[in-house]
Amino acid sequence: MTDVIRYGLIGCGMMGQEHLRNLALLPGAEAVALFEPDQEMAEAALALAPGAVRASSLSEMLAMPALDALVIASPNFRHMEQVAEIAATRPLPLLVEKPLYTDPADLPRVKALFARYPAPVWVAMEYRYMPPIAAFLDRLDPVTGGVQMFSIREHRFPFLQKVGDWNRFNRYTGGTFVEKCCHFFDLMRFALKSEPTRIMASAAPVLNHRGEVYGGQSPDILDAGYAICEFESGARAMLELCMYAEGARYQEELSAVGPAGKIEARVPGPGRFWPADLGPAPVPQLEISPRSPQRPEVLEVPVDPRLLEAGDHNGATFYQHQKFLALLRGEADAPEVSAHDGWRAVEMGLAAQRSIATGLPVSLAQDAAEISA
């Protein structure tokens, strides 16, 4: 590869533009091509990457010789069709936004496609790279002595408006527990170093989107609920989601407990949503609570203001791209978040959606047996 790694962006809406702002902060990275069908989004993206060329189609972008890697940030339901076209045409290194896929029937195809993909594939699970969550993960085992209980609470703002309102419908998103929560299922697997065996979930469309109609159809996405996951190690994890709680000081609160103690992380939401009259936005926190001696300690984990301005994920998109760039330069052996991690997180989200629909727990082991059969 050249000294400068040249990126093509597929999808330049809110998340695609966040990728562009963060690539601009990285020496040796340059966005040279964009594929975005929506005119308004394309113009906003070109303002962030004025040297980039806008392609009229994915095939036109793939024909451009000056490309070293691709970032897929298109709507969820487009990811797999675009990966399949790239694999068949020009299998460049990929950073693919979550969720990797949305239709449970696609899983065998997903596994087969990535088993033979010849270039690195990194699934964008930004939450791993938020500085307070990264600090939480780094200290997890020493503080807890081995996690037995892990809980994640996200109290946040409602789904934002997207081009064509695709994020209002399960058939395009995979469902709220896929679209929004695969991040958290990924964190569960990563933190517990174990695979899920059973998921139970309960949720409903409680408050948001009730009066909305798009093309004569009402949204079917969920805005609040719980999921409990059991793991092979014997550990258990819980997710609590509420998407009408944007008034809270912290958006994500993580807690892990083991025989030696407890560790917590508190992460504020996007600074652009914090009311200016309340003063500075909250600073992320880490709280460490050993059982003996009993000495709870609260630490602040500030994030570089430049990174806060570059996106809504507490600097995580920058750190993720920094590591992906190192991989492309041959400074790392493999993606930190693999395609396997990506499809497992979606599989957990889809199991939660199914549990919500049926009122029954879902066995992941049974799902795996059915897929291989």
Side-chain angles (χ1 to χ4, degrees):
M1 290 189 180
T2 61
D3 290 339
V4 175
I5 304 297
R6 300 160 299 185
Y7 292 77
L9 266 288
I10 301 166
C12 298
M14 185 193 74
M15 197 62 217
Q17 291 171 37
E18 180 167 326
H19 283 293
L20 288 171
R21 286 191 294 271
N22 282 277
L23 284 172
L25 296 174
L26 280 168
E30 182 183 4
V32 298
L34 311 174
F35 169 49
E36 171 51 65
D38 183 81
Q39 182 65 24
E40 183 179 347
M41 294 296 105
E43 289 175 0
L46 288 168
L48 295 170
V53 175
R54 183 186 179 189
S56 61
S57 65
L58 177 55
S59 59
E60 181 182 328
M61 174 184 280
L62 293 175
M64 297 178 180
L67 280 177
D68 300 311
L70 300 171
V71 177
I72 298 179
S74 52
N76 298 1
F77 64 100
R78 298 290 187 200
H79 292 178
M80 281 314 301
E81 68 183 58
Q82 290 169 341
V83 169
E85 182 176 348
I86 294 163
T89 307
R90 189 180 173 190
L92 289 165
L94 294 178
L95 178 71
V96 187
E97 265 300 334
K98 60 80 195 166
L100 196 55
Y101 70 104
T102 57
D103 185 344
D106 277 346
L107 183 53
R109 175 186 176 215
V110 169
K111 289 182 176 182
L113 194 157
F114 287 112
R116 62 178 182 266
Y117 197 86
V121 177
W122 187 305
V123 180
M125 294 292 187
E126 285 87 7
Y127 280 62
R128 288 194 191 190
Y129 299 99
M130 290 183 178
I133 295 180
F136 172 91
L137 293 169
D138 283 344
R139 301 188 185 202
L140 198 59
D141 287 338
V143 170
T144 65
V147 181
Q148 292 301 310
M149 299 182 69
F150 181 32
S151 67
I152 301 172
R153 179 166 71 181
E154 181 171 71
H155 283 189
R156 57 160 282 162
F157 51 93
F159 280 118
L160 298 173
Q161 294 287 331
K162 297 291 180 78
V163 173
D165 304 302
W166 64 267
N167 67 339
R168 272 22 186 190
F169 298 96
N170 289 341
R171 64 183 179 273
Y172 300 131
T173 68
T176 299
F177 277 69
V178 172
E179 152 62 17
K180 187 68 215 69
C181 301
C182 65
H183 276 303
F184 304 126
F185 296 126
D186 174 67
L187 283 176
M188 289 177 187
R189 288 183 62 250
F190 186 64
L192 298 176
K193 303 180 184 67
S194 184
E195 294 296 345
T197 57
R198 190 166 66 141
I199 292 180
M200 298 154 278
S202 175
V206 177
L207 188 66
N208 302 327
H209 319 301
R210 283 181 171 267
E212 298 176 5
V213 177
Y214 303 96
Q217 298 182 39
S218 298
D220 57 359
I221 52 172
L222 307 167
D223 61 5
Y226 296 93
I228 297 174
C229 307
E230 297 176 351
F231 286 79
E232 290 175 352
S233 65
R236 287 169 174 78
M238 184 182 77
L239 169 66
E240 175 185 330
L241 175 71
C242 180
M243 299 188 69
Y244 45 90
E246 62 269 38
R249 180 176 298 274
Y250 295 104
Q251 180 168 288
E252 287 87 26
E253 296 177 86
L254 286 68
S255 169
V257 188
K262 174 181 176 180
I263 184 169
E264 299 167 272
R266 303 182 186 101
V267 187
R272 63 192 175 104
F273 294 151
W274 185 254
D277 63 311
L278 295 182
V283 176
Q285 291 183 346
L286 198 66
E287 184 162 359
I288 297 168
S289 304
R291 293 180 69 190
S292 180
Q294 187 177 343
R295 293 287 184 271
E297 179 184 12
V298 177
L299 307 171
E300 288 194 339
V301 187
V303 180
D304 185 332
R306 294 178 309 149
L307 304 187
L308 292 175
E309 291 176 7
D312 289 343
H313 295 85
N314 279 274
T317 302
F318 174 83
Y319 293 116
Q320 177 178 254
H321 268 294
Q322 191 177 56
K323 289 174 177 287
F324 183 57
L325 182 60
L327 175 68
L328 297 177
R329 292 192 178 284
E331 297 164 10
D333 295 330
E336 290 188 0
V337 190
S338 66
H340 176 264
D341 294 322
W343 67 253
R344 282 300 273 168
V346 172
E347 187 183 28
M348 292 175 71
L350 290 169
Q353 291 285 142
R354 198 158 87 211
S355 179
I356 291 161
T358 63
L360 299 171
V362 173
S363 167
L364 272 297
Q366 181 181 340
D367 284 356
E370 289 173 355
I371 288 165
S372 34

